[in-house]
Amino acid sequence: MSDSVRDLLVRGVAAAKGNSKQEAKFYLEWVTRAGDATHDQLADAYRWLADVVDDPKEKREYLDHALAYRPNDPEARRALALLNGTLKPDEIIDPNKFSLPVLESPVPTQARRFVCVQCGGKMQFAPDATTLECTYCGYTQSLLDFDQSLNVVEEQDFIVAMATAKGHSKPTIARAIKCKGCGASFLLTPQTISQNCPYCASAYVIEQAEERELIEPEGVLPFMITRDAALKKEMEWFRQQGWRLRTDPAPPAGVYLPAWTFDVGGQVTWRCRVYRNKQWVVESGKRAVLANDLIVPASHHLSPVLSEEIRGTPLDQLVPYDARYLADFPAETYDVAVSDASIVARSQAFHQVKADIARGIFNQYADLNVSSANVMVDSYKLILVPMWVTCYRMDGKQYGIVINGCTGNLRAERPPQGVVGWLTQLFGE
């Protein structure tokens, strides 16, 4: 690193902070012309140049250059988002001082009601098709009445979200709905986004657009496995244990559960001692981080089997969010803020690349040190994952069974005392 380049950059940044724009531009432009400037120095120079010019076209050009040298630079990405209008100045918050509003009573909310246009009956999503079906007259409505070329689930800019309340908020306020079918009023928990009226069974899905501080689902994995198919898998699982049930197991209930997905990128540097040719030598290197669609469950109250199944769900059937997929199925939104979930995703990506580095060292090694300083979350989205859930009780305790609504994969919790003792207690001698 050249001392002269470092000196020019220090002078340019100091002038920019002092609002001496012409002086700052003079020094910073010298940095961009220096042949021995590092990528980090060039990224800093171009980012500060964007701060000291007023012309939007010039500002955009400098920011593009900064991101070319350092694609995950958070300040450059936020400045470009402000310039593009995807981030509003009045939406920027200080996360160190941010707090959620506290309301004592439930707030009225808007919801979409799903009724048959032919007979007024309740509409429900048919899991093995792409239609809504009336439970009374059988009338169907296609969900494919949109341009298939637009069937793309959008990623959201993580840096932009972190600058606003959306990145740090989670639902905390109960909401009240007045049923359009029977006129009754009922309450929803903060996390509920779809519900049937407890009196007339009308299906409702909450219109979340009215709550600017919350993140709306970008995608949904529709149910592909029917309730009957899920029950069949449940019965097969019990039969595979080789014992006869005393009573039929409880049928599974369908529910949409929230999850975050993250794209994580960047680069790690590593260093360790390697034993080669009867001596210890120091080796070092760099490794790119490219992790796409890392899934993090977005609810604190999920059982271990549910969380594990959500993390392993393939996303090849993901479609843009449409409230009609939720008709007659309960659904919840997140109670884990995207900022908290991103820490989990970043850690997963880092430990995966660290494990890859360790596997790539063929000699005996020691003191492996891997830096995660340049591992960055790039984008995210909120999705809804379909699950059929049920449970069984044994010895006064409850154990869960889940069947993935997309794949049909089954996972079950088991008591800790072993298979033989578990079967004996569950089914009898």
Side-chain angles (χ1 to χ4, degrees):
M1 183 186 296
S2 168
D3 289 339
S4 60
V5 173
R6 184 191 295 112
D7 183 61
L8 288 170
L9 184 59
V10 169
R11 290 175 180 269
V13 171
K17 290 181 177 180
N19 204 32
S20 300
K21 295 184 177 182
Q22 290 301 320
E23 181 183 356
K25 191 173 182 181
F26 173 80
Y27 287 118
L28 294 171
E29 285 182 341
W30 268 105
V31 174
T32 65
R33 292 193 292 265
D36 55 348
T38 67
H39 280 197
D40 281 339
Q41 288 174 330
L42 289 169
D44 287 337
Y46 279 117
R47 182 170 57 78
W48 282 102
L49 277 168
D51 279 356
V52 299
V53 297
D54 298 321
D55 180 54
K57 183 178 179 181
E58 205 174 357
K59 189 183 292 286
R60 186 185 306 276
E61 183 177 342
Y62 285 139
L63 290 172
D64 286 339
H65 276 85
L67 291 171
Y69 286 108
R70 194 162 56 209
N72 290 318
D73 186 291
E75 294 185 24
R77 286 174 57 181
R78 187 168 75 170
L80 191 60
L82 284 166
L83 195 61
N84 292 334
T86 55
L87 177 62
K88 307 296 183 184
D90 61 343
E91 292 179 338
I92 298 176
I93 54 99
D94 182 353
N96 296 318
K97 300 179 181 179
F98 176 70
S99 60
L100 291 170
V102 177
L103 297 183
E104 296 295 333
S105 57
V107 296
T109 191
Q110 299 297 317
R112 183 178 174 186
R113 182 176 178 232
F114 292 91
V115 295
C116 177
V117 297
Q118 186 164 287
C119 72
K122 182 177 68 172
M123 299 291 285
Q124 65 179 8
F125 175 67
D128 57 346
T130 54
T131 59
L132 290 180
E133 182 178 356
C134 177
T135 57
Y136 294 96
C137 71
Y139 171 79
T140 60
Q141 177 188 359
S142 174
L143 271 68
L144 299 180
D145 53 355
F146 54 82
D147 186 352
Q148 293 295 307
S149 65
L150 302 178
N151 193 22
V152 177
V153 181
E154 297 290 340
E155 303 276 359
Q156 300 300 311
D157 192 309
F158 180 74
I159 298 300
V160 171
M162 289 300 96
T164 69
K166 288 184 177 182
H168 310 274
S169 299
K170 55 187 179 181
T172 58
I173 302 169
R175 291 160 295 179
I177 288 181
K178 186 172 183 178
C179 180
K180 299 176 183 177
C182 64
S185 295
F186 58 97
L187 297 181
L188 298 174
T189 62
Q191 287 75 36
T192 304
I193 56 177
S194 69
Q195 183 67 56
N196 290 344
C197 174
Y199 302 100
C200 71
S202 294
Y204 285 92
V205 176
I206 309 306
E207 301 287 354
Q208 288 188 302
E210 63 192 68
E211 301 180 63
R212 292 180 58 197
E213 74 277 9
L214 299 182
I215 296 172
E216 296 183 61
E218 287 290 337
V220 58
L221 288 164
F223 273 96
M224 305 300 291
I225 306 297
T226 64
R227 187 187 305 272
D228 289 343
L231 179 58
K232 182 179 179 181
K233 286 183 174 290
E234 181 187 350
M235 296 291 291
E236 287 176 353
W237 182 82
F238 279 112
R239 281 196 294 267
Q240 287 171 2
Q241 315 311 312
W243 294 77
R244 180 177 296 177
L245 290 171
R246 290 175 176 173
T247 59
D248 288 339
V255 61
Y256 281 104
L257 298 171
W260 299 106
T261 76
F262 295 94
D263 294 341
V264 182
Q267 179 180 261
V268 300
T269 57
W270 61 271
R271 182 184 180 91
C272 70
R273 294 188 299 122
V274 177
Y275 192 72
R276 184 183 298 115
N277 298 327
K278 297 182 179 181
Q279 62 178 342
W280 288 96
V281 296
V282 175
E283 282 195 359
S284 62
K286 298 179 180 180
R287 179 70 67 93
V289 179
L290 296 170
N292 184 52
D293 282 341
L294 290 175
I295 300 177
V296 179
S299 175
H300 283 301
H301 63 268
L302 301 181
S303 67
V305 291
L306 265 175
S307 296
E308 189 63 27
E309 185 58 36
I310 288 174
R311 280 191 289 267
T313 301
L315 301 181
D316 52 317
Q317 300 296 323
L318 189 68
V319 297
Y321 173 75
D322 187 324
R324 293 176 293 179
Y325 288 112
L326 277 57
D328 204 37
F329 281 99
E332 292 190 359
T333 192
Y334 59 99
D335 62 8
V336 176
V338 66
S339 55
D340 296 331
S342 69
I343 297 173
V344 177
R346 184 178 180 275
S347 177
Q348 288 178 359
F350 172 69
H351 284 96
Q352 180 60 55
V353 75
K354 185 176 180 179
D356 291 342
I357 292 170
R359 283 193 295 268
I361 303 173
F362 299 107
N363 299 85
Q364 182 182 354
Y365 68 91
D367 303 328
L368 176 61
N369 183 275
V370 183
S371 172
S372 64
N374 292 319
V375 177
M376 303 287 291
V377 176
D378 182 63
S379 59
Y380 73 95
K381 58 181 175 290
L382 178 64
I383 65 172
L384 298 176
V385 182
M387 292 289 166
W388 293 103
V389 297
T390 185
C391 63
Y392 62 89
R393 298 190 67 85
M394 188 190 68
D395 198 24
K397 294 184 179 180
Q398 182 170 291
Y399 301 93
I401 299 175
V402 300
I403 299 99
N404 193 303
C406 289
T407 66
N409 185 54
L410 182 145
R411 291 178 189 260
E413 291 179 321
R414 297 174 182 246
Q417 72 270 23
V419 175
V420 175
W422 164 58
L423 290 173
T424 300
Q425 292 188 47
L426 180 59
F427 303 117
E429 297 290 345

